[in-house]
Amino acid sequence: MENIGILSHDPGLKPFKDHFKYRVGRYTDLLNLLDKHEGGLDEFAQGYLKFGFNREEDGIVYREWAPAAQEAQIVGDFNGWNGTNHCMEKNEFGIWSIKIYDLGGKPAISHNSRVKFRFKHGNGVWIDRIPAWIKYATVDPTKFAAPYDGVYWDPPPLERYEFKHPRPAKPNGPRVYEAHVGMSSSEPRVSSYREFADFVLPRIKENNYNTVQLMAIMEHSYYASFGYHVTNFFAVSSRSGTPEDLKYLIDKAHGLGLRVLMDVVHSHASNNVTDGLNGFDVGQSTQDSYFHTGDRGYHKLWDSRLFNYANWEVLRFLLSNIRWWLEEYQFDGFRFDGVTSMLYHHHGISMAFTGNYNEYFSEATDVDAVVYLMLANNLTHSILPDATVIAEDVSGMPGLGRPVFEGGIGFDYRLQMAIPDKWIDYLKNKSDEEWSMGEISWNLTNRRYSEKCISYAESHDQSIVGDKTIAFLLMDKEMYSGMSCLENASPVVERGIALHKMIHFITMALGGEGYLNFMGNEFGHPEWIDFPREGNGWSYDKCRRQWNLADTDHLRYKFLNAFDRAMNALDEKFSFLASSKQIVSWTGEEDKVIVFERGDLVFVFNFHPINTYDGYKVGCDLPGKYRVALDSDAGDFGGYGRVGHDIDHFTSPEGIPGVPETNFNNRPNSFKVLSPARTCVVYYKVDESKEKEKDDLVASVHEDVSARHVEEDSEGLAGREEENDIAVGKISKTEDDDIDTSKTEEDDVDSNKIEDLPVRGNRAKISD
């Protein structure tokens, strides 16, 4: 405690040493208590072996923590819902228990039969509740708004799913595909785990993602909550199938080399008293409840209940929940939802975080929740050292992504939640000419050194009803009529496709150490997500994914999908996400160009609406020969193929070696490129000793995405050339507008001055 490692990483934290000592002290004291009374953290987190229903040699033992109950029974199909002969006993810790002996050598409670916990509380009223530790819960689909029932799940050996594939290795740079199983069908209905495994997982693999993040796995009675109002924490969502079906999905993913993360919701719980954990709250004190009492136990914006993280049984419940999903279902990690709400007593409501450290370490900090998260991350990584754990936090609390042994909270990554907000602001409120290259670059790189982040341009949050995806913001109604390749693209569609590629790619390349995309956004899925509800006539029409749009060869959605595949393939080949080398050498407000290096790749983004730059000089670190690794203007991605992929770009030294101020944009070397308007091009350094091998790798990036691309016939190509001519008025040389493309050292292009550059319309073909 006197040598807290995190303080040496950031001297700015030293004034808050007492805060760190206090929370580390609380954490270590709790670990000591667990060692003394529960056999340690690992043993404590196996509560599911004690609570809920557990099979023993001659019967089934059921235990439930319900200190507020005066009497209790277990009822269900097995006893005709009459608990008179199945009364439970209570110990001094408020834990009720009963052993139900086998009948005729068979379990008295049949597999897949309904059960509930019946108890009488202080006012003498008997109520039925779903057991808190239930492994499965179902609802009668033929009855509107019917209550859920707990289900005793203990399939015979022949019906149990056995995992066949090992967990894939942890990637250095996670490329995460965020998905919702229920809405993954192209049909207007709820999809199943097995359908997702068989039809969607191969798509994810084909697009070169290495990680799947599954939403809405924990049971939630209200479908439109997107899975965030959890009612049954140990139960899989029965809408999409059984526990064995989910295991099939995860095993199938592992067989494809995909890791699987789960959205875990421990920040709050549904306020549903009939189906959920809130039903155990009958007005008792907070020490006898899962939740805080009064205002502290209620989230006014989410209309949900808030856990008491200082309660012993709450800790047992939540930590066991972590272990359950890791061990029973073989998940590879978690994305913790609502972490900002957990970290602060104000839950981030009406709080604009500025980065001032006093905002993070004060009486507003919920140390109970911080200590719980430290325990959860410690547990996760002790069970699965290669686990990936991501925090959904908008505040940017320092230390969130540092190890627990340093005094950090222990997450592997934090979501870069400010990035999509900035893109939405630009698309809604700024013209293209008003876009600031410096602000874009700063927003993408504004993260704590030594704490890794997952970047994303948009997630499910930007897709729900009331908001718009990036594709819809860019193209709106023209997505319905202007996406056919059989017709010339309108200026709106042409701009939309170009910027969609650029926004997602620069977010991936510059925004973090990992990347996330929500299901369907990779190909610009139109419209929004709207779950069935009374307001839309209980329609599933906008609660699905129209995969056919990306698969139809004459629709332009295929170009966005192909580019997404190529982005991921580029990282697969060059591992730039995992590289700590990230240098932004140029952000031009006049020419609208951003140049940066990630790893040994050089990225050139030209956001200018119309200006194409020939002979544009870009700085780089290493001398040598560079070639195109990825080009958003390639034909396979709906571009015009203006950049030559077989051209060698040789560097020239800049300034005095070792004296950055004499270099070009502080880079010791440079080379010249063609940069068409609204394009991004990546260059790699050719290792001439392994030149053929590297060329094959780069070729595979483009071949990977062009395998499904059908070449346009000559008539279609001619139509496109004609379209270009019409758009720019057929460029012709005169004495007045001659463009000299033969450059010498004496008349070299100054890339910093837009007026000195040869400018061409954004649809002009560069003949030379």
Side-chain angles (χ1 to χ4, degrees), residues 440-455:
I440 290 172
S441 172
W442 184 88
N443 190 64
L444 291 171
T445 58
N446 180 28
R447 56 188 186 273
R448 292 183 59 78
Y449 171 74
S450 80
E451 297 191 37
K452 295 180 180 179
C453 290
I454 302 288
S455 66

Side-chain angles (χ1 to χ4, degrees), residues 24 31 82 91 103 125 146 173 180 221 375 462 493 509 523 525 533 609 643 673 682 694 708 757:
V24 170
L31 283 180
N82 184 344
N91 69 10
L103 298 174
V125 176
H180 186 287
S221 61
L375 289 168
Q462 287 73 44
V493 169
F523 63 85
H525 196 288
R533 54 188 174 85
V643 177
V673 301
V682 187
K694 203 69 173 181
R708 292 169 55 190
L757 295 170

Side-chain angles (χ1 to χ4, degrees), residues 670-710:
S670 70
F671 59 93
K672 296 176 183 178
V673 301
L674 172 67
S675 179
R678 288 193 181 130
T679 65
C680 46
V681 184
V682 187
Y683 298 87
Y684 75 99
K685 181 181 180 298
V686 177
D687 183 347
E688 299 193 49
S689 64
K690 300 180 180 179
E691 185 168 346
K692 185 179 186 305
E693 176 184 345
K694 203 69 173 181
D695 284 347
D696 289 342
L697 284 176
V698 174
S700 71
V701 171
H702 283 273
E703 289 170 2
D704 185 45
V705 299
S706 61
R708 292 169 55 190
H709 179 72
V710 179

Side-chain angles (χ1 to χ4, degrees), residues 186 188 484 532 652 667 750:
S186 59
S484 173
S652 300
R667 309 310 292 142
D750 181 359

Side-chain angles (χ1 to χ4, degrees), residues 174-229:
R175 301 185 297 273
V176 184
Y177 194 88
E178 184 185 39
H180 186 287
V181 172
M183 57 167 288
S184 63
S185 173
S186 59
E187 300 172 3
R189 59 176 175 82
V190 178
S191 189
S192 72
Y193 298 122
R194 288 184 176 267
E195 288 174 317
F196 184 91
D198 293 340
F199 300 110
V200 182
L201 285 179
R203 303 183 71 96
I204 298 171
K205 177 64 177 179
E206 185 180 16
N207 269 40
N208 297 307
Y209 289 90
N210 56 31
T211 306
V212 182
Q213 178 185 304
L214 294 179
M215 306 172 61
I217 294 299
M218 305 162 87
E219 186 60 89
H220 49 291
S221 61
Y222 183 44
Y223 191 40
S225 74
F226 235 137
Y228 292 119
H229 280 227

Side-chain angles (χ1 to χ4, degrees), residues 561-575:
N561 192 57
F563 189 71
D564 178 79
R565 188 183 307 129
M567 284 166 38
N568 289 321
L570 186 73
D571 182 61
E572 183 68 23
K573 309 301 186 199
F574 292 94
S575 300

